[in-house]
Amino acid sequence: MPNRPNQTTLERQYARLGILLIAPTVVVFSAVIVYPLLAAIYLSLFSIYTPTLQGEFVGIDNYVKLLSGKLFWQSLGVTLTWTVGTLTLQVIFGVAMALLLNRSFWFRSLARSLVLFPYFLSTVVAVLVWRWLFNDLYGALNHILMRVGVIDMPLDWLGSMPNAMIGIILVGAWKYFPFVVIAVLARLQTIPEHLYEAAKIDGAGPIARFFDVTLPQLRSVLTVIILLRAIWDFKEFDLIYLLTGGGPVTSTQTLALLVYKEAFSLNQMGQAAAYAVAMMLVMLVFMVVYIRRTGTKET
Amino acid sequence: MADIELRNVRKAFINFVALEDLNLRIEDGEFVALLGPSGCGKSTTLRMLAGLEFPTDGEIRIGGKVVNDVAPGKRDIAMVFQSYALYPHMTVAQNIAYPLKKRGVDKAERDRKVERAAALLHLEPLLSRKPKQLSGGQQQRVALGRALVREPEVFLLDEPLSNLDAKLRSYMRIELIELHRQLGKTMVYVTHDQLEAMTMAHRIAVMNGGKLQQFDTPDAIYNRPANLFVADFIGTPSMNLMEGSLSGSNFTVGGQSVTIDRSRLKPETTDGAAVLGVRPEDIMLGDGTIDAVVELVENTGHEKIVALAVKGCDRILARAPSGSAITVGEAVKIGFDQTKTHLFEKDGEGRRLNLDQDHNSLP
């Protein structure tokens, strides 16, 4: 602790207390974040057989393989497609639903709690239900689509492309849009009614009021939502793994799935660690933007 | 032409009635203040004129046309809100230009009008700033600019000065009077501040409990209040109201009697319980028949407000010149200026019992 000469005794005491209070967090943070991070970087420099965790130092060989091989780039493409697709739907559905729930109608509080349901549901349960719905033999989705007359033959939803990608994007959007609803709804409720009244008097219709009053007010919250959800969607594992397992073949194999497969199916822990580190570097871009955005908001 | 007429307007919300049977006629180019305590229905009235609320019953006409079902943007009105309601993400220039933009005015014309409004309100150096970077007074002027850039026939102002400090408020009062003189448009101004209403308005509509109490010139409201509410509400300090009984030309309060000029009362006035009202400036200290004791003297600088204890009635306040030598505890005789006393019914609506023509004849 720097003992500045112009600090009073009381200030020094407060500083000491501050360090004391933050210490447990720093210790835990180091143990569960900093150590694994450093360990991953360390592991990525070895060629390691997962079951024994033994292997030899190979330097940057794993990274060379990663950059020159097709696998990483293909998975990065899949990850970006999935992230952009599901995030776009989450934001559109989320904002629309928040606008709807911000109006007053009967059973509004019931509707508000029901909307949160997918978000609270365990991913495993949600995926099981969706797999039933998507099933090409007895799934409800094909049944309904055929009844309505949109399709003549049952579609193979999770076993062919681009259906599998559409499937995971849809389920992802369904599962995570409530997060957008909560955040946007909270912001909507703080927009002063007078702004809408002023806009009405100024001759703005409902659409103009949305773009000129609502949207500008939502901008800061949407930035945070999009960045956070982009980070979370980018590293999504369980939903995709359970729904398609990365298939057909590797069509929906995101980076997270690639890391898992490399580490536990192919038993190449060192190569898997290299993929994980590369993935982290990509996410670092989102992180930096997020920190910059939320940091500048204070000023 | 933009006269405003409210005919038998009633406004009921789910659990209370905000306005009851309001009839009001505002002439073209007139500056009218809606004055009353909070919850009196003045803001509801204004919001109905703006089209932000719709009357439950009755008819609202602007410029002769019934506007009950006309959207706010389609009425030829502009409104200034108490909170100014400036669009936070737009610059001052964009804020002022917004109503023009929504009406499809082209860019060149918009810029010209914004410039003119900015010049009128001394906003030129602020045009590229955001509302957050402005002081309360500046935001207020931007809100005014946004209202007048469209050149509407009617201006609606909802307590526009109440968020400003006292000095700025008195400055903006003069600015608004000047603005009204220049534009010559109809203005309806909601306030709970009687000073604003008295100094700015041609006529004041005093409201209470959803009912119109009196609609008249500031002079008439002050000198000929229509009922006890108006008498009590207007004036600082407010009018002294003394409950007593009228018998012929005598009014008795707390065992002491004052002479009343019966010819100034309405012929149908009967003897019995009544309320005598005297403004603090119409109380003559040391000149009269009523015994009083000085309880408190407040020196405001340009005058002294003297609180007097009189047997049988509430504390009475009188104005005295700042130089007068009055001491606390002193016993004084007081009297009332005969030509300026007011008499009200004690029961019912507390209607004024004086004939209306008095004071008109006063110099």
Side-chain angles (χ1 to χ4, degrees):
Chain A
M1 183 177 58
N3 235 342
R4 289 188 206 97
N6 55 353
Q7 256 182 341
T8 65
T9 318
L10 195 61
E11 277 173 336
R12 269 197 294 276
Q13 274 178 11
Y14 278 141
R16 214 169 294 146
L17 180 68
I19 286 174
L20 211 64
L21 289 174
I22 207 168
T25 315
V26 172
V27 171
V28 172
F29 182 82
S30 305
V32 302
I33 309 239
V34 179
Y35 171 71
L37 189 70
L38 294 176
I41 295 170
Y42 179 72
L43 280 178
S44 70
L45 303 175
F46 289 81
S47 167
I48 291 179
Y49 183 58
T50 309
T52 59
L53 284 183
Q54 299 294 317
E56 57 188 27
F57 182 78
V58 292
I60 57 163
D61 275 11
N62 287 331
Y63 290 97
V64 173
K65 214 174 116 192
L66 173 151
L67 292 171
S68 55
K70 249 175 56 184
L71 229 48
F72 174 78
W73 299 110
Q74 195 233 338
S75 280
L76 183 62
V78 169
T79 311
L80 289 175
T81 312
W82 139 261
T83 303
V84 171
T86 194
L87 186 57
T88 309
L89 290 184
Q90 282 169 31
V91 170
I92 292 171
F93 284 146
V95 171
M97 187 58 81
L99 288 173
L100 206 66
L101 290 176
N102 194 39
R103 310 198 74 100
S104 52
F105 55 89
W106 283 11
F107 305 119
R108 179 169 73 169
S109 26
L110 181 70
R112 279 185 182 177
S113 18
L114 279 181
V115 156
L116 304 182
F117 178 72
Y119 197 61
F120 293 143
L121 203 63
S122 148
T123 308
V124 179
V125 177
V127 168
L128 279 178
V129 173
W130 276 102
R131 284 183 69 127
W132 272 78
L133 291 171
F134 278 135
N135 194 292
D136 46 350
L137 294 179
Y138 41 80
L141 195 61
N142 277 334
H143 178 73
I144 291 168
L145 289 176
M146 281 168 70
R147 264 298 177 82
V148 179
V150 180
I151 50 174
D152 307 324
M153 297 286 286
L155 283 179
D156 182 5
W157 276 102
L158 300 175
S160 71
M161 282 296 277
N163 297 1
M165 181 54 88
I166 294 171
I168 58 171
I169 284 175
L170 282 179
V171 176
W174 172 82
K175 178 108 181 66
Y176 297 117
F177 89 98
F179 177 79
V180 183
V181 176
I182 304 171
V184 171
L185 191 56
R187 183 70 185 89
L188 280 179
Q189 285 165 351
T190 65
I191 301 178
E193 190 56 33
H194 275 158
L195 288 183
Y196 290 104
E197 291 179 344
K200 274 187 201 172
I201 288 172
D202 287 341
I207 295 167
R209 288 203 293 277
F210 174 75
F211 283 104
D212 295 337
V213 180
T214 311
L215 207 55
Q217 298 268 321
L218 289 182
R219 208 149 123 194
S220 57
V221 77
L222 279 178
T223 312
V224 173
I225 291 173
I226 289 172
L227 283 168
L228 274 179
R229 280 254 44 108
I231 292 169
W232 293 339
D233 289 335
F234 193 83
K235 62 190 180 67
E236 178 71 36
F237 175 77
D238 45 2
L239 190 138
I240 302 166
Y241 182 73
L242 293 164
L243 212 51
T244 65
V249 198
T250 55
S251 310
T252 57
Q253 181 171 278
T254 58
L255 284 172
L257 267 70
L258 176 67
V259 172
Y260 179 82
K261 195 171 91 178
E262 198 69 30
F264 301 108
S265 302
L266 305 177
N267 286 329
Q268 295 299 321
M269 189 55 96
Q271 184 62 56
Y275 284 135
V277 170
M279 191 178 159
M280 192 193 70
L281 290 177
V282 177
M283 285 208 291
L284 215 57
V285 178
F286 295 112
M287 290 269 298
V288 168
V289 178
Y290 175 76
I291 290 165
R292 285 230 174 130
R293 277 286 171 165
T294 50
T296 50
K297 216 175 59 181
E298 309 296 317
T299 61
Chain B
M1 274 295 286
D3 53 325
I4 297 171
E5 200 176 354
L6 291 110
R7 281 190 197 163
N8 309 104
V9 170
R10 183 171 173 276
K11 176 68 184 177
F13 291 100
I14 294 166
N15 42 16
F16 77 106
V17 177
L19 276 182
E20 275 179 287
D21 199 34
L22 180 65
N23 285 288
L24 206 60
R25 213 195 128 73
I26 298 167
E27 303 299 335
D28 182 34
E30 202 176 11
F31 194 135
V32 166
L34 304 179
L35 176 68
S38 31
C40 72
K42 57 189 192 296
S43 282
T44 308
T45 308
L46 195 77
R47 290 170 61 80
M48 285 198 293
L49 289 178
L52 298 171
E53 302 279 356
F54 298 95
T56 315
D57 271 317
E59 213 173 74
I60 299 174
R61 286 166 187 268
I62 296 177
K65 276 190 304 232
V66 179
V67 294
N68 282 30
D69 300 321
V70 179
K74 301 259 190 280
R75 302 178 181 197
D76 203 2
I77 52 136
M79 184 158 165
V80 177
F81 292 83
Q82 184 176 358
S83 60
Y84 316 135
L86 300 178
Y87 308 118
H89 60 288
M90 296 186 198
T91 63
V92 168
Q94 287 167 332
N95 261 287
I96 297 176
Y98 188 72
L100 296 175
K101 201 173 158 190
K102 287 299 126 187
R103 279 171 177 72
V105 177
D106 66 68
K107 177 95 171 67
E109 175 78 358
R110 254 172 15 222
D111 290 348
R112 208 171 52 72
K113 287 190 167 174
V114 168
E115 232 166 74
R116 219 168 53 197
L120 190 65
L121 295 162
H122 316 297
L123 286 169
E124 294 108 321
L126 308 174
L127 282 175
S128 57
R129 294 215 202 154
K130 294 270 176 76
K132 219 190 274 176
Q133 299 163 297
L134 303 179
S135 70
Q138 290 167 336
Q139 290 188 31
Q140 217 276 334
R141 278 185 281 146
V142 177
L144 270 173
R146 188 174 63 184
L148 60 84
V149 73
R150 240 175 62 211
E151 297 159 19
E153 284 299 321
V154 178
F155 284 89
L156 304 174
L157 303 112
D158 188 4
E159 310 224 13
L161 305 185
S162 63
N163 287 350
L164 304 179
D165 65 52
K167 198 174 166 193
L168 197 54
R169 212 179 308 164
S170 61
Y171 170 75
M172 284 306 294
R173 275 209 310 267
I174 297 166
E175 293 282 291
L176 276 174
I177 296 169
E178 180 63 20
L179 197 65
H180 177 256
R181 204 181 53 73
Q182 282 180 34
L183 301 170
K185 303 290 185 187
T186 313
M187 286 193 182
V188 184
Y189 187 102
V190 160
T191 179
H192 64 268
D193 182 340
Q194 46 171 302
L195 186 67
E196 284 176 16
M198 295 292 281
T199 52
M200 294 161 73
H202 297 152
R203 283 195 294 168
I204 302 173
V206 183
M207 300 177 70
N208 186 40
K211 287 184 189 144
L212 182 65
Q213 305 291 319
Q214 188 171 1
F215 184 36
D216 216 328
T217 60
D219 178 61
I221 298 251
Y222 191 80
N223 292 314
R224 297 188 298 281
N227 58 34
L228 275 175
F229 174 81
V230 179
D232 191 34
F233 189 72
I234 302 288
T236 327
S238 55
M239 188 186 278
N240 297 295
L241 296 169
M242 291 160 272
E243 281 183 27
S245 72
L246 179 69
S247 163
S249 291
N250 280 322
F251 185 82
T252 316
V253 50
Q256 309 193 63
S257 174
V258 253
T259 317
I260 296 280
D261 184 358
R262 190 84 197 200
S263 69
R264 286 181 59 241
L265 301 182
K266 287 176 184 160
E268 67 270 23
T269 308
T270 53
D271 286 357
V275 177
L276 181 70
V278 188
R279 294 231 175 257
E281 59 269 33
D282 300 329
I283 289 179
M284 301 176 295
L285 289 166
D287 176 15
T289 56
I290 301 168
D291 293 313
V293 178
V294 178
E295 274 192 328
L296 197 72
V297 180
E298 285 180 305
N299 190 353
T300 64
H302 71 285
E303 63 176 7
K304 280 178 176 167
I305 307 290
V306 185
L308 301 154
V310 175
K311 208 172 67 170
C313 64
D314 291 341
R315 176 181 287 173
I316 285 180
L317 297 177
R319 280 188 212 275
S322 63
S324 55
I326 305 165
T327 49
V328 175
E330 187 184 337
V332 285
K333 290 272 187 194
I334 59 166
F336 306 139
D337 184 340
Q338 263 306 309
T339 59
K340 293 181 179 175
T341 56
H342 311 258
L343 204 68
F344 301 95
E345 281 179 339
K346 183 173 178 287
D347 304 312
E349 290 164 9
R351 272 182 300 133
R352 177 181 178 79
L353 296 171
N354 296 81
L355 287 169
D356 279 343
Q357 59 265 34
D358 53 66
H359 292 294
N360 280 351
S361 51
L362 285 175

